[in-house]
Amino acid sequence: MIEVEHLTKRYGPRTAVQDVSFRVGKGEIVGFLGPNGAGKSTTLRMLTGFLAPSGGAIRIDGIDALAKPIEAKKRIGYMPEACPIYPEMRVREYLRYRAELKGVASRAIKERIEIALDQASVKEAGDRIIGQLSKGTRQRVGLADALVADPPILVLDEPTAGLDPNQIRQVRDLVRGLAGKKTVLVSTHILPEVESTCDRVVIIHRGRVVREGAPDQLRQAI
Ligand code: ADP
Ligand code: ADP
């Protein structure tokens, strides 16, 4: 479903991502593990079409994502580390705006919002003002945003960053609940956060893939 080949990103003289290749099958949950600065965000942002690679190829569902970024983007729900959130909007109002932006058919929007709120366990906050929500709840609003257009692929960049252990558990359970329904790519810098949720982990270090495998295979390696 996702094929990444020899992906490279340079920021001026600095190479942030170097010759990264991996594949993700339909319905798989894959974790991207690496310390801060390893190149996880840069990789995920190229995958989601927010950042142009310096080299390499990305295919999503057989579509050349670099040649047809809009087609590719439609298939992906992306939750950036810092969710771009409108503090003055109410949650349902925000999701409506986002659904419209993503081209969800107007007659489907209402239902899609309720399903996304439910999938992200954030229904009780639906009528609240975003700026007044806790970080954990805002994170779940970000997840509802990623889900609102019902994309087959979800890309979650450090969804647990800055959350407390209880909120981390909630996010983990949410990701686990998507197993079999969505193809999920999730980044983190802490292995325990992905080992119980992911089918496979790709370890990134200094912009390169250094290892990949099932979480229990990688335990001894870390
Ligand atoms: P991670 O998500 O693993 O923390 P990033 O992909 O954010 O890593 O960053 C990889 C490297 O690229 C880091 O050294 C970072 O400082 C650098 N980098 C990221 N974005 C930019 C940018 N816009 N300009 C220059 N360097 C950047
Ligand atoms: P992450 O590691 O999760 O990407 P960062 O705090 O490193 O988070 O990056 C936040 C933003 O700053 C991103 O848009 C990234 O591209 C940019 N950035 C990161 N490092 C640099 C850098 N060295 N120079 C310029 N921009 C950077």
Side-chain angles (χ1 to χ4, degrees), residues 17 21 118 170 216:
V17 169
S21 301
D118 200 42
Q170 286 179 350
D216 54 350

Side-chain angles (χ1 to χ4, degrees), residues 9-213:
K9 180 66 188 182
R10 283 182 286 273
Y11 293 110
R14 171 185 287 163
T15 302
V17 169
Q18 192 159 12
D19 199 23
V20 162
S21 301
F22 59 86
R23 279 163 187 245
V24 179
K26 189 172 195 292
E28 245 192 320
I29 299 187
V30 174
F32 288 81
L33 177 69
N36 279 330
K40 304 181 298 294
S41 289
T42 300
T43 302
L44 297 182
R45 285 166 63 215
M46 289 192 280
L47 207 64
T48 50
F50 282 91
L51 190 65
S54 310
I58 301 169
R59 271 187 302 278
I60 312 275
D61 256 351
I63 296 165
D64 180 341
L66 304 180
K68 295 181 175 166
I70 296 168
E71 278 300 298
K73 225 171 180 170
K74 260 195 234 164
R75 290 166 165 78
I76 300 177
Y78 173 47
M79 178 177 158
E81 181 176 346
C83 297
I85 281 254
Y86 296 68
E88 73 288 357
M89 277 192 185
R90 290 183 192 276
V91 173
R92 280 193 175 82
E93 184 189 1
Y94 170 69
L95 291 176
R96 168 168 294 278
Y97 155 71
R98 297 290 296 167
E100 283 168 358
L101 206 65
K102 295 176 191 196
V104 176
S106 42
R107 61 188 152 70
I109 286 182
K110 207 169 174 177
E111 191 190 0
R112 281 305 322 161
I113 291 172
E114 296 312 311
I115 293 171
L117 286 170
D118 200 42
Q119 284 176 317
S121 289
V122 75
K123 209 157 207 165
E124 74 290 348
D127 293 321
R128 295 188 54 200
I129 292 167
I130 289 169
Q132 295 175 358
L133 301 173
S134 70
K135 187 161 198 299
T137 308
R138 277 207 305 272
Q139 205 79 331
R140 296 210 298 282
V141 173
L143 184 61
D145 170 24
L147 287 161
V148 78
D150 198 20
I153 302 166
L154 276 183
V155 173
L156 312 175
D157 193 358
E158 298 255 3
T160 54
L163 301 185
D164 66 36
N166 197 30
Q167 294 168 327
I168 289 173
R169 208 170 306 122
Q170 286 179 350
V171 171
R172 203 160 51 195
D173 290 346
L174 290 173
V175 173
R176 204 179 283 140
L178 298 169
K181 298 180 193 122
K182 303 274 180 196
T183 302
V184 183
L185 281 70
V186 52
S187 76
T188 181
H189 56 280
I190 312 166
L191 176 66
E193 280 183 16
V194 288
E195 64 177 345
S196 61
T197 17
C198 293
D199 302 312
R200 197 149 53 84
V201 176
V202 175
I203 300 180
I204 300 190
H205 186 63
R206 297 192 178 167
R208 292 177 180 274
V209 172
V210 291
R211 210 180 271 268
E212 66 173 283

